[in-house]
Amino acid sequence: MQFLDDSLLPENQQPLVIQVAPYGPEFLPGDSDDIPVTMAEQVQKAVDCWNAGATVLHVHVREADGKGSKRLSMFNELLARLREAVPKMVLQVGGSISFAPEGDGEQAKWLTDDTRHMLAELDPKPDQVTVAVNTSQMNIMELMSADDIAGTSLSTPAYYKAYREMWYESGPAFVDEHLKRLQAAGIQPHFMLGHVANLESVERLIRRGAYTGPLILNWVAIGGGADGPNPRNMMEFINRCPENAVLTIESVMRNVLPLNTMAIAMGLHVRVGIEDNLWACKGERFTSVQQIEQMVRIARELHREVATGEDARRIYQIGTHYANTDETLAALGYAPNRFAGERETPLRRVA
């Protein structure tokens, strides 16, 4: 990405897309009074977030007992109800889910590729499914202080240990097949990347034709296997993104606000919600809706427009798919692939 002399002027920036993750799957209902549990509460939370100014909803689902759901039918039910309740909102399902077969006598195949690929079978289909690239540790506790998790289940030894030792599996075979199925289903992959090495892997996927669509990214600065919330890390990631990538900044706990403020000023997009952060300032709880309202206020102070639902779909290029690798590279602003025997960097093609 490049910054021209006038790139920080709000009239030259896209409207701000606010992505919200209000369902907090790592927390239990008693951890916060902002966790929706019933289906009706989960739908209402989406409506409240939309009314506050968010246009992208990161979706997880809870069962009636408050635990995270692994049932495809529950996700289908919530998606159907969300399509009616917030029809203009971009619906983005978290790609970490592994579905459990629901029929009598069936064995749940936890964390196998088949149950994860079922995200492509959601009906109604979401606009996006998030995709991590490269198997990695995901120690979400590394950046969290005792104050951050005080009064929540994450402060108990068993939960703390489980999330400290957490990792996600996203190897080459899984990613190739997952991208194939999502694209065939007309669902846009939204890449969740923790550092430049992940971004380089996505570029290689594009260059060999495994992905032929817009490059919609989150830089996930949560530490523990991903970048930490260092502005130098953020700027390096920005520098390595191609010109036409769409980049959202994501972090954890009280790092969310300063990084998002920088993102708004720079023309990037933001993510908020209790999945990432519970706090306004130290010791003061902050709901998902309050976090959205804060982003809207900051954007208005900087005279930057806040995206409508139509804006978000246009900026995210929902429904766009390119014909081949060459068209994808050109659309994203990457240099073309090298012809056989071609020397130096092939920056452009001469007809």
Side-chain angles (χ1 to χ4, degrees), residues 7-20:
S7 291
L8 299 185
L9 303 181
E11 64 268 23
N12 297 323
Q13 297 174 337
Q14 292 273 25
L16 172 68
V17 176
I18 301 175
Q19 188 182 123
V20 63

Side-chain angles (χ1 to χ4, degrees), residues 92-129:
Q92 174 196 96
V93 173
S96 60
I97 189 71
S98 172
F99 292 109
E102 298 182 44
D104 291 340
E106 293 184 5
Q107 285 286 346
K109 299 180 290 183
W110 299 104
L111 299 180
T112 64
D113 285 353
D114 284 344
T115 57
R116 297 163 72 199
H117 291 319
M118 288 169 68
L119 286 158
E121 301 171 20
L122 289 165
D123 182 22
K125 66 184 181 184
D127 299 294
Q128 298 180 316
V129 164

Side-chain angles (χ1 to χ4, degrees), residues 10 17 40 68 92 149 156 161 251 261 282 291 344-345 351:
V17 176
Q92 174 196 96
I149 61 175
T156 64
K161 180 179 179 181
S251 192
T261 302
K282 189 172 181 178
Q291 292 177 51
E344 298 186 345
T345 303

Side-chain angles (χ1 to χ4, degrees), residues 141 149 152-165:
M141 307 310 301
I149 61 175
T152 76
S153 57
L154 294 183
S155 65
T156 64
Y159 271 74
Y160 183 92
K161 180 179 179 181
Y163 280 100
R164 186 170 182 253
E165 297 296 331

Side-chain angles (χ1 to χ4, degrees), residues 295-306:
M295 294 299 101
V296 171
R297 288 196 303 272
I298 293 171
R300 287 175 176 165
E301 286 292 329
L302 293 172
H303 306 288
R304 185 174 172 192
E305 295 177 56
V306 176

